[in-house]
mmCIF file of all heavy atoms in Angstrom:
data_model
loop_
_atom_site.group_PDB
_atom_site.id
_atom_site.type_symbol
_atom_site.label_atom_id
_atom_site.label_comp_id
_atom_site.label_asym_id
_atom_site.label_seq_id
_atom_site.Cartn_x
_atom_site.Cartn_y
_atom_site.Cartn_z
ATOM 1 N N LYS A 47 -13.357 2.665 -15.500
ATOM 2 C CA LYS A 47 -12.319 3.657 -15.814
ATOM 3 C C LYS A 47 -11.546 4.074 -14.591
ATOM 4 O O LYS A 47 -10.838 5.099 -14.608
ATOM 5 C CB LYS A 47 -12.952 4.843 -16.467
ATOM 6 C CG LYS A 47 -13.385 4.550 -17.949
ATOM 7 C CD LYS A 47 -13.890 5.752 -18.627
ATOM 8 C CE LYS A 47 -14.343 5.319 -20.068
ATOM 9 N NZ LYS A 47 -14.983 6.525 -20.765
ATOM 10 N N GLN A 66 -7.600 -13.378 -23.562
ATOM 11 C CA GLN A 66 -8.987 -13.400 -24.015
ATOM 12 C C GLN A 66 -9.606 -14.822 -23.867
ATOM 13 O O GLN A 66 -8.795 -15.754 -24.047
ATOM 14 C CB GLN A 66 -9.062 -13.026 -25.508
ATOM 15 C CG GLN A 66 -8.721 -11.528 -25.747
ATOM 16 C CD GLN A 66 -9.599 -10.556 -24.980
ATOM 17 O OE1 GLN A 66 -10.823 -10.770 -24.820
ATOM 18 N NE2 GLN A 66 -8.985 -9.584 -24.335
ATOM 19 N N ILE A 114 -8.632 16.059 -16.800
ATOM 20 C CA ILE A 114 -9.416 14.952 -16.184
ATOM 21 C C ILE A 114 -10.192 15.518 -14.970
ATOM 22 O O ILE A 114 -11.380 15.188 -14.741
ATOM 23 C CB ILE A 114 -8.451 13.874 -15.767
ATOM 24 C CG1 ILE A 114 -7.860 13.074 -16.928
ATOM 25 C CG2 ILE A 114 -9.142 12.866 -14.821
ATOM 26 C CD1 ILE A 114 -8.732 12.118 -17.648
ATOM 27 N N TRP A 136 -6.783 -3.142 6.134
ATOM 28 C CA TRP A 136 -5.604 -2.593 5.439
ATOM 29 C C TRP A 136 -4.765 -1.765 6.390
ATOM 30 O O TRP A 136 -3.533 -1.900 6.414
ATOM 31 C CB TRP A 136 -6.017 -1.821 4.253
ATOM 32 C CG TRP A 136 -4.869 -1.124 3.565
ATOM 33 C CD1 TRP A 136 -4.629 0.186 3.498
ATOM 34 C CD2 TRP A 136 -3.783 -1.772 2.862
ATOM 35 N NE1 TRP A 136 -3.502 0.400 2.786
ATOM 36 C CE2 TRP A 136 -2.909 -0.724 2.415
ATOM 37 C CE3 TRP A 136 -3.445 -3.091 2.604
ATOM 38 C CZ2 TRP A 136 -1.737 -1.002 1.683
ATOM 39 C CZ3 TRP A 136 -2.291 -3.350 1.895
ATOM 40 C CH2 TRP A 136 -1.488 -2.333 1.449
ATOM 41 N N GLY A 156 9.817 0.249 -9.883
ATOM 42 C CA GLY A 156 8.540 0.707 -9.411
ATOM 43 C C GLY A 156 7.489 -0.333 -9.437
ATOM 44 O O GLY A 156 6.270 -0.077 -9.139
ATOM 45 N N PRO A 218 30.383 -10.824 16.061
ATOM 46 C CA PRO A 218 31.350 -9.844 15.581
ATOM 47 C C PRO A 218 32.701 -10.454 15.124
ATOM 48 O O PRO A 218 33.041 -11.510 15.534
ATOM 49 C CB PRO A 218 31.518 -8.918 16.837
ATOM 50 C CG PRO A 218 31.073 -9.770 18.004
ATOM 51 C CD PRO A 218 30.187 -10.731 17.510
ATOM 52 N N PRO A 219 33.433 -9.674 14.289
ATOM 53 C CA PRO A 219 34.726 -10.193 13.924
ATOM 54 C C PRO A 219 35.640 -10.423 15.138
ATOM 55 O O PRO A 219 35.546 -9.661 16.082
ATOM 56 C CB PRO A 219 35.325 -9.087 13.022
ATOM 57 C CG PRO A 219 34.283 -8.018 12.911
ATOM 58 C CD PRO A 219 33.130 -8.395 13.754
ATOM 59 N N SER A 234 20.882 -10.844 19.125
ATOM 60 C CA SER A 234 20.913 -9.402 19.265
ATOM 61 C C SER A 234 22.024 -8.678 18.429
ATOM 62 O O SER A 234 21.755 -7.582 17.892
ATOM 63 C CB SER A 234 21.047 -9.017 20.728
ATOM 64 O OG SER A 234 19.925 -9.491 21.485
ATOM 65 N N TYR A 235 23.213 -9.302 18.422
ATOM 66 C CA TYR A 235 24.254 -8.659 17.648
ATOM 67 C C TYR A 235 23.875 -8.474 16.138
ATOM 68 O O TYR A 235 24.015 -7.405 15.540
ATOM 69 C CB TYR A 235 25.614 -9.416 17.760
ATOM 70 C CG TYR A 235 26.668 -8.910 16.795
ATOM 71 C CD1 TYR A 235 27.384 -7.780 17.088
ATOM 72 C CD2 TYR A 235 26.878 -9.513 15.567
ATOM 73 C CE1 TYR A 235 28.293 -7.247 16.235
ATOM 74 C CE2 TYR A 235 27.847 -8.998 14.706
ATOM 75 C CZ TYR A 235 28.513 -7.850 15.038
ATOM 76 O OH TYR A 235 29.480 -7.352 14.179
ATOM 77 N N LEU A 237 20.766 -8.479 14.923
ATOM 78 C CA LEU A 237 19.634 -7.531 14.845
ATOM 79 C C LEU A 237 20.152 -6.116 14.891
ATOM 80 O O LEU A 237 19.766 -5.285 14.039
ATOM 81 C CB LEU A 237 18.626 -7.846 15.975
ATOM 82 C CG LEU A 237 17.476 -6.842 16.071
ATOM 83 C CD1 LEU A 237 16.656 -6.845 14.850
ATOM 84 C CD2 LEU A 237 16.623 -7.146 17.333
ATOM 85 N N CYS A 262 3.566 -7.838 0.558
ATOM 86 C CA CYS A 262 4.090 -8.359 -0.733
ATOM 87 C C CYS A 262 3.680 -9.799 -0.937
ATOM 88 O O CYS A 262 3.306 -10.220 -2.030
ATOM 89 C CB CYS A 262 5.571 -8.238 -0.815
ATOM 90 S SG CYS A 262 6.107 -6.562 -1.156
ATOM 91 N N HIS A 274 11.377 -13.359 3.520
ATOM 92 C CA HIS A 274 12.026 -12.242 4.217
ATOM 93 C C HIS A 274 11.274 -12.075 5.577
ATOM 94 O O HIS A 274 11.897 -11.738 6.574
ATOM 95 C CB HIS A 274 12.037 -10.942 3.403
ATOM 96 C CG HIS A 274 12.865 -9.874 4.051
ATOM 97 N ND1 HIS A 274 14.216 -9.969 4.191
ATOM 98 C CD2 HIS A 274 12.546 -8.693 4.575
ATOM 99 C CE1 HIS A 274 14.657 -8.894 4.804
ATOM 100 N NE2 HIS A 274 13.631 -8.118 5.029
ATOM 101 N N TYR A 304 -0.094 -9.672 15.824
ATOM 102 C CA TYR A 304 -1.521 -10.007 16.162
ATOM 103 C C TYR A 304 -2.328 -9.845 14.904
ATOM 104 O O TYR A 304 -3.177 -10.728 14.642
ATOM 105 C CB TYR A 304 -1.974 -9.003 17.261
ATOM 106 C CG TYR A 304 -3.428 -9.141 17.590
ATOM 107 C CD1 TYR A 304 -3.869 -10.064 18.532
ATOM 108 C CD2 TYR A 304 -4.351 -8.310 17.007
ATOM 109 C CE1 TYR A 304 -5.206 -10.205 18.844
ATOM 110 C CE2 TYR A 304 -5.705 -8.402 17.248
ATOM 111 C CZ TYR A 304 -6.112 -9.314 18.194
ATOM 112 O OH TYR A 304 -7.446 -9.471 18.456
ATOM 113 N N ALA A 336 10.703 -13.319 26.740
ATOM 114 C CA ALA A 336 9.885 -12.260 27.309
ATOM 115 C C ALA A 336 9.596 -12.455 28.759
ATOM 116 O O ALA A 336 9.320 -11.495 29.491
ATOM 117 C CB ALA A 336 8.578 -12.123 26.487
#
Side-chain angles (χ1 to χ4, degrees):
K47 287 187 181 172
Q66 292 304 317
I114 291 282
W136 174 247
S234 298
Y235 171 79
L237 174 61
C262 283
H274 188 66
Y304 174 84

